[in-house]
Amino acid sequence: VARAGAWERPTEAELARFPAESRGRIRAWRLPAGDGASIAGPVHSGHGIEIAAIHSELFVADRALTLARWPNEGFAEIGAIVDPGSVPRDAMDDIPADKRVVAPDRGGVFVPKDAAHATRWAAAQDAWALGFWNWDWSHEQLPIAGVDARTGAVTLGLPHRYGLAARGRFFVLDIPGELDAEGEYWIDRAVHTAYAWLPAVADDTPCALSILGEPLLRLEGAHDLVIRGVRFEWTRGAAIEASASSHAATARPSRSPA
């Protein structure tokens, strides 16, 4: 945890990675070296995928900021499909044997409708994209394997469950070049530094980064339990995980009469 006033102006070399229009607003938080190993980036997640924890989030005044993304709101359209990729759903055991298609995993390739903007991601590392890649009821967050600097074609590092379709929609995230709005942040995990366009807050406002991927509280064999007066926050994983437990609940602290 740090105070907002402890953030500093990045060096010119650091600022060069961010959009020109936001460089005057971005501040840096040098994280303690011991926390570096616990900082997590985006993970493969979505429809039918179980995960224990999400990426590290930045909180300012109890507000979760937004990992740098494009577009800043909503989704972008797919302009063309170059390769739909393999279709893992077609290889599952519930598919009739005569219709089952088992193929090596192959990430899809698509060109965003705004291909010119996509060329800006060619040098980005560890970029991800979240989308409804085929059907509106199946979303998935996938790593980006590469972007063609000439055509803007995006190659995904993993296949989507149903393959890509031109009707799909998406947004990209974890790209420093897209940190262009108040309330966005990006973390350089290699040097343990968070960068953010902080909202307007007082210098003594607390800022926190979630690093714990395990549950804050794990209950095993608990029963007839009430947890009162405890705040569960700033975590990547579950707040409470319970197994073989019953009649366990959380409650707000009771207030004395005025």
PDB file of all heavy atoms in Angstrom, residues 219-241:
ATOM      1  N   LEU A 219     -11.964 -21.882   4.833  1.00  0.00           N
ATOM      2  CA  LEU A 219     -12.686 -22.619   5.866  1.00  0.00           C
ATOM      3  C   LEU A 219     -12.770 -24.088   5.480  1.00  0.00           C
ATOM      4  O   LEU A 219     -13.128 -24.420   4.348  1.00  0.00           O
ATOM      5  CB  LEU A 219     -14.109 -22.067   6.032  1.00  0.00           C
ATOM      6  CG  LEU A 219     -14.248 -20.571   6.346  1.00  0.00           C
ATOM      7  CD1 LEU A 219     -15.720 -20.197   6.391  1.00  0.00           C
ATOM      8  CD2 LEU A 219     -13.557 -20.222   7.657  1.00  0.00           C
ATOM      9  N   GLU A 220     -12.456 -24.970   6.405  1.00  0.00           N
ATOM     10  CA  GLU A 220     -12.562 -26.406   6.187  1.00  0.00           C
ATOM     11  C   GLU A 220     -13.257 -27.022   7.396  1.00  0.00           C
ATOM     12  O   GLU A 220     -12.772 -26.925   8.521  1.00  0.00           O
ATOM     13  CB  GLU A 220     -11.175 -27.035   5.992  1.00  0.00           C
ATOM     14  CG  GLU A 220     -10.442 -26.532   4.757  1.00  0.00           C
ATOM     15  CD  GLU A 220      -9.077 -27.197   4.578  1.00  0.00           C
ATOM     16  OE1 GLU A 220      -8.770 -28.117   5.356  1.00  0.00           O
ATOM     17  OE2 GLU A 220      -8.346 -26.778   3.665  1.00  0.00           O
ATOM     18  N   GLY A 221     -14.388 -27.635   7.155  1.00  0.00           N
ATOM     19  CA  GLY A 221     -15.120 -28.268   8.242  1.00  0.00           C
ATOM     20  C   GLY A 221     -15.709 -27.302   9.239  1.00  0.00           C
ATOM     21  O   GLY A 221     -15.959 -27.673  10.394  1.00  0.00           O
ATOM     22  N   ALA A 222     -15.947 -26.065   8.826  1.00  0.00           N
ATOM     23  CA  ALA A 222     -16.508 -25.066   9.745  1.00  0.00           C
ATOM     24  C   ALA A 222     -18.031 -25.132   9.727  1.00  0.00           C
ATOM     25  O   ALA A 222     -18.644 -25.473   8.720  1.00  0.00           O
ATOM     26  CB  ALA A 222     -16.037 -23.679   9.355  1.00  0.00           C
ATOM     27  N   HIS A 223     -18.638 -24.795  10.860  1.00  0.00           N
ATOM     28  CA  HIS A 223     -20.091 -24.743  10.909  1.00  0.00           C
ATOM     29  C   HIS A 223     -20.531 -23.764  11.990  1.00  0.00           C
ATOM     30  O   HIS A 223     -19.794 -23.460  12.930  1.00  0.00           O
ATOM     31  CB  HIS A 223     -20.690 -26.128  11.181  1.00  0.00           C
ATOM     32  CG  HIS A 223     -20.254 -26.743  12.489  1.00  0.00           C
ATOM     33  ND1 HIS A 223     -20.900 -26.513  13.674  1.00  0.00           N
ATOM     34  CD2 HIS A 223     -19.210 -27.577  12.782  1.00  0.00           C
ATOM     35  CE1 HIS A 223     -20.300 -27.178  14.644  1.00  0.00           C
ATOM     36  NE2 HIS A 223     -19.270 -27.824  14.135  1.00  0.00           N
ATOM     37  N   ASP A 224     -21.723 -23.233  11.808  1.00  0.00           N
ATOM     38  CA  ASP A 224     -22.305 -22.275  12.757  1.00  0.00           C
ATOM     39  C   ASP A 224     -21.327 -21.135  13.032  1.00  0.00           C
ATOM     40  O   ASP A 224     -20.978 -20.843  14.178  1.00  0.00           O
ATOM     41  CB  ASP A 224     -22.682 -22.981  14.066  1.00  0.00           C
ATOM     42  CG  ASP A 224     -23.708 -24.080  13.835  1.00  0.00           C
ATOM     43  OD1 ASP A 224     -24.758 -23.770  13.240  1.00  0.00           O
ATOM     44  OD2 ASP A 224     -23.447 -25.238  14.211  1.00  0.00           O
ATOM     45  N   LEU A 225     -20.915 -20.495  11.943  1.00  0.00           N
ATOM     46  CA  LEU A 225     -19.896 -19.454  12.040  1.00  0.00           C
ATOM     47  C   LEU A 225     -20.411 -18.159  11.402  1.00  0.00           C
ATOM     48  O   LEU A 225     -21.001 -18.180  10.324  1.00  0.00           O
ATOM     49  CB  LEU A 225     -18.616 -19.899  11.318  1.00  0.00           C
ATOM     50  CG  LEU A 225     -17.504 -18.872  11.142  1.00  0.00           C
ATOM     51  CD1 LEU A 225     -16.883 -18.544  12.497  1.00  0.00           C
ATOM     52  CD2 LEU A 225     -16.447 -19.397  10.168  1.00  0.00           C
ATOM     53  N   VAL A 226     -20.181 -17.055  12.088  1.00  0.00           N
ATOM     54  CA  VAL A 226     -20.485 -15.741  11.533  1.00  0.00           C
ATOM     55  C   VAL A 226     -19.205 -14.916  11.572  1.00  0.00           C
ATOM     56  O   VAL A 226     -18.576 -14.786  12.623  1.00  0.00           O
ATOM     57  CB  VAL A 226     -21.587 -15.017  12.321  1.00  0.00           C
ATOM     58  CG1 VAL A 226     -21.785 -13.599  11.769  1.00  0.00           C
ATOM     59  CG2 VAL A 226     -22.899 -15.785  12.245  1.00  0.00           C
ATOM     60  N   ILE A 227     -18.825 -14.368  10.430  1.00  0.00           N
ATOM     61  CA  ILE A 227     -17.641 -13.510  10.332  1.00  0.00           C
ATOM     62  C   ILE A 227     -18.137 -12.076  10.313  1.00  0.00           C
ATOM     63  O   ILE A 227     -18.866 -11.672   9.405  1.00  0.00           O
ATOM     64  CB  ILE A 227     -16.838 -13.830   9.064  1.00  0.00           C
ATOM     65  CG1 ILE A 227     -16.423 -15.294   9.054  1.00  0.00           C
ATOM     66  CG2 ILE A 227     -15.610 -12.920   8.957  1.00  0.00           C
ATOM     67  CD1 ILE A 227     -15.923 -15.783   7.717  1.00  0.00           C
ATOM     68  N   ARG A 228     -17.749 -11.310  11.292  1.00  0.00           N
ATOM     69  CA  ARG A 228     -18.301  -9.977  11.447  1.00  0.00           C
ATOM     70  C   ARG A 228     -17.175  -8.949  11.616  1.00  0.00           C
ATOM     71  O   ARG A 228     -16.179  -9.211  12.290  1.00  0.00           O
ATOM     72  CB  ARG A 228     -19.215  -9.923  12.672  1.00  0.00           C
ATOM     73  CG  ARG A 228     -20.053  -8.655  12.806  1.00  0.00           C
ATOM     74  CD  ARG A 228     -20.792  -8.629  14.146  1.00  0.00           C
ATOM     75  NE  ARG A 228     -21.613  -9.801  14.358  1.00  0.00           N
ATOM     76  CZ  ARG A 228     -22.848  -9.947  13.908  1.00  0.00           C
ATOM     77  NH1 ARG A 228     -23.406  -8.962  13.215  1.00  0.00           N
ATOM     78  NH2 ARG A 228     -23.526 -11.039  14.146  1.00  0.00           N
ATOM     79  N   GLY A 229     -17.358  -7.800  10.984  1.00  0.00           N
ATOM     80  CA  GLY A 229     -16.418  -6.713  11.185  1.00  0.00           C
ATOM     81  C   GLY A 229     -15.095  -6.877  10.460  1.00  0.00           C
ATOM     82  O   GLY A 229     -14.099  -6.263  10.842  1.00  0.00           O
ATOM     83  N   VAL A 230     -15.060  -7.689   9.403  1.00  0.00           N
ATOM     84  CA  VAL A 230     -13.832  -7.902   8.631  1.00  0.00           C
ATOM     85  C   VAL A 230     -14.070  -7.486   7.190  1.00  0.00           C
ATOM     86  O   VAL A 230     -15.083  -7.879   6.583  1.00  0.00           O
ATOM     87  CB  VAL A 230     -13.381  -9.377   8.679  1.00  0.00           C
ATOM     88  CG1 VAL A 230     -12.106  -9.570   7.861  1.00  0.00           C
ATOM     89  CG2 VAL A 230     -13.170  -9.834  10.114  1.00  0.00           C
ATOM     90  N   ARG A 231     -13.171  -6.696   6.626  1.00  0.00           N
ATOM     91  CA  ARG A 231     -13.261  -6.318   5.213  1.00  0.00           C
ATOM     92  C   ARG A 231     -12.344  -7.223   4.393  1.00  0.00           C
ATOM     93  O   ARG A 231     -11.159  -7.372   4.701  1.00  0.00           O
ATOM     94  CB  ARG A 231     -12.854  -4.865   5.010  1.00  0.00           C
ATOM     95  CG  ARG A 231     -13.810  -3.860   5.616  1.00  0.00           C
ATOM     96  CD  ARG A 231     -13.380  -2.437   5.310  1.00  0.00           C
ATOM     97  NE  ARG A 231     -13.439  -2.154   3.883  1.00  0.00           N
ATOM     98  CZ  ARG A 231     -13.151  -0.961   3.359  1.00  0.00           C
ATOM     99  NH1 ARG A 231     -12.789   0.046   4.159  1.00  0.00           N
ATOM    100  NH2 ARG A 231     -13.227  -0.761   2.064  1.00  0.00           N
ATOM    101  N   PHE A 232     -12.884  -7.839   3.373  1.00  0.00           N
ATOM    102  CA  PHE A 232     -12.105  -8.675   2.469  1.00  0.00           C
ATOM    103  C   PHE A 232     -11.930  -7.897   1.175  1.00  0.00           C
ATOM    104  O   PHE A 232     -12.901  -7.638   0.450  1.00  0.00           O
ATOM    105  CB  PHE A 232     -12.833  -9.997   2.209  1.00  0.00           C
ATOM    106  CG  PHE A 232     -12.982 -10.865   3.432  1.00  0.00           C
ATOM    107  CD1 PHE A 232     -14.112 -10.761   4.225  1.00  0.00           C
ATOM    108  CD2 PHE A 232     -11.991 -11.762   3.778  1.00  0.00           C
ATOM    109  CE1 PHE A 232     -14.258 -11.552   5.359  1.00  0.00           C
ATOM    110  CE2 PHE A 232     -12.124 -12.559   4.909  1.00  0.00           C
ATOM    111  CZ  PHE A 232     -13.255 -12.449   5.704  1.00  0.00           C
ATOM    112  N   GLU A 233     -10.700  -7.501   0.863  1.00  0.00           N
ATOM    113  CA  GLU A 233     -10.482  -6.647  -0.297  1.00  0.00           C
ATOM    114  C   GLU A 233      -9.056  -6.790  -0.808  1.00  0.00           C
ATOM    115  O   GLU A 233      -8.215  -7.444  -0.198  1.00  0.00           O
ATOM    116  CB  GLU A 233     -10.760  -5.186   0.069  1.00  0.00           C
ATOM    117  CG  GLU A 233      -9.909  -4.660   1.208  1.00  0.00           C
ATOM    118  CD  GLU A 233     -10.300  -3.257   1.656  1.00  0.00           C
ATOM    119  OE1 GLU A 233     -11.228  -2.680   1.058  1.00  0.00           O
ATOM    120  OE2 GLU A 233      -9.674  -2.747   2.589  1.00  0.00           O
ATOM    121  N   TRP A 234      -8.800  -6.159  -1.971  1.00  0.00           N
ATOM    122  CA  TRP A 234      -7.473  -6.081  -2.557  1.00  0.00           C
ATOM    123  C   TRP A 234      -6.850  -7.460  -2.761  1.00  0.00           C
ATOM    124  O   TRP A 234      -5.725  -7.720  -2.342  1.00  0.00           O
ATOM    125  CB  TRP A 234      -6.553  -5.205  -1.704  1.00  0.00           C
ATOM    126  CG  TRP A 234      -7.013  -3.802  -1.511  1.00  0.00           C
ATOM    127  CD1 TRP A 234      -7.961  -3.140  -2.233  1.00  0.00           C
ATOM    128  CD2 TRP A 234      -6.558  -2.888  -0.510  1.00  0.00           C
ATOM    129  NE1 TRP A 234      -8.126  -1.870  -1.767  1.00  0.00           N
ATOM    130  CE2 TRP A 234      -7.276  -1.670  -0.708  1.00  0.00           C
ATOM    131  CE3 TRP A 234      -5.618  -2.963   0.511  1.00  0.00           C
ATOM    132  CZ2 TRP A 234      -7.074  -0.555   0.093  1.00  0.00           C
ATOM    133  CZ3 TRP A 234      -5.426  -1.853   1.311  1.00  0.00           C
ATOM    134  CH2 TRP A 234      -6.138  -0.666   1.110  1.00  0.00           C
ATOM    135  N   THR A 235      -7.561  -8.340  -3.399  1.00  0.00           N
ATOM    136  CA  THR A 235      -7.037  -9.681  -3.632  1.00  0.00           C
ATOM    137  C   THR A 235      -7.256 -10.093  -5.079  1.00  0.00           C
ATOM    138  O   THR A 235      -8.178  -9.613  -5.742  1.00  0.00           O
ATOM    139  CB  THR A 235      -7.706 -10.704  -2.693  1.00  0.00           C
ATOM    140  OG1 THR A 235      -7.148 -12.004  -2.922  1.00  0.00           O
ATOM    141  CG2 THR A 235      -9.209 -10.762  -2.931  1.00  0.00           C
ATOM    142  N   ARG A 236      -6.396 -10.981  -5.575  1.00  0.00           N
ATOM    143  CA  ARG A 236      -6.554 -11.535  -6.913  1.00  0.00           C
ATOM    144  C   ARG A 236      -7.442 -12.773  -6.896  1.00  0.00           C
ATOM    145  O   ARG A 236      -8.023 -13.157  -7.903  1.00  0.00           O
ATOM    146  CB  ARG A 236      -5.191 -11.937  -7.487  1.00  0.00           C
ATOM    147  CG  ARG A 236      -4.244 -10.790  -7.753  1.00  0.00           C
ATOM    148  CD  ARG A 236      -2.870 -11.321  -8.195  1.00  0.00           C
ATOM    149  NE  ARG A 236      -3.017 -12.402  -9.132  1.00  0.00           N
ATOM    150  CZ  ARG A 236      -2.492 -13.622  -8.957  1.00  0.00           C
ATOM    151  NH1 ARG A 236      -1.776 -13.903  -7.893  1.00  0.00           N
ATOM    152  NH2 ARG A 236      -2.681 -14.555  -9.868  1.00  0.00           N
ATOM    153  N   GLY A 237      -7.467 -13.452  -5.753  1.00  0.00           N
ATOM    154  CA  GLY A 237      -8.214 -14.702  -5.648  1.00  0.00           C
ATOM    155  C   GLY A 237      -9.542 -14.521  -4.943  1.00  0.00           C
ATOM    156  O   GLY A 237     -10.096 -13.422  -4.874  1.00  0.00           O
ATOM    157  N   ALA A 238     -10.046 -15.612  -4.404  1.00  0.00           N
ATOM    158  CA  ALA A 238     -11.328 -15.572  -3.711  1.00  0.00           C
ATOM    159  C   ALA A 238     -11.193 -14.865  -2.366  1.00  0.00           C
ATOM    160  O   ALA A 238     -10.135 -14.893  -1.734  1.00  0.00           O
ATOM    161  CB  ALA A 238     -11.839 -16.993  -3.498  1.00  0.00           C
ATOM    162  N   ALA A 239     -12.278 -14.245  -1.941  1.00  0.00           N
ATOM    163  CA  ALA A 239     -12.284 -13.644  -0.609  1.00  0.00           C
ATOM    164  C   ALA A 239     -12.358 -14.746   0.444  1.00  0.00           C
ATOM    165  O   ALA A 239     -11.560 -14.796   1.376  1.00  0.00           O
ATOM    166  CB  ALA A 239     -13.465 -12.692  -0.471  1.00  0.00           C
ATOM    167  N   ILE A 240     -13.328 -15.647   0.278  1.00  0.00           N
ATOM    168  CA  ILE A 240     -13.508 -16.754   1.220  1.00  0.00           C
ATOM    169  C   ILE A 240     -13.730 -18.034   0.422  1.00  0.00           C
ATOM    170  O   ILE A 240     -14.523 -18.062  -0.520  1.00  0.00           O
ATOM    171  CB  ILE A 240     -14.718 -16.516   2.142  1.00  0.00           C
ATOM    172  CG1 ILE A 240     -14.564 -15.201   2.920  1.00  0.00           C
ATOM    173  CG2 ILE A 240     -14.893 -17.685   3.112  1.00  0.00           C
ATOM    174  CD1 ILE A 240     -15.797 -14.821   3.725  1.00  0.00           C
ATOM    175  N   GLU A 241     -13.045 -19.082   0.813  1.00  0.00           N
ATOM    176  CA  GLU A 241     -13.249 -20.399   0.208  1.00  0.00           C
ATOM    177  C   GLU A 241     -13.642 -21.365   1.315  1.00  0.00           C
ATOM    178  O   GLU A 241     -12.957 -21.468   2.341  1.00  0.00           O
ATOM    179  CB  GLU A 241     -11.961 -20.883  -0.468  1.00  0.00           C
ATOM    180  CG  GLU A 241     -12.078 -22.236  -1.129  1.00  0.00           C
ATOM    181  CD  GLU A 241     -10.757 -22.677  -1.727  1.00  0.00           C
ATOM    182  OE1 GLU A 241     -10.434 -22.229  -2.846  1.00  0.00           O
ATOM    183  OE2 GLU A 241     -10.021 -23.449  -1.059  1.00  0.00           O
TER     184      GLU A 241
END
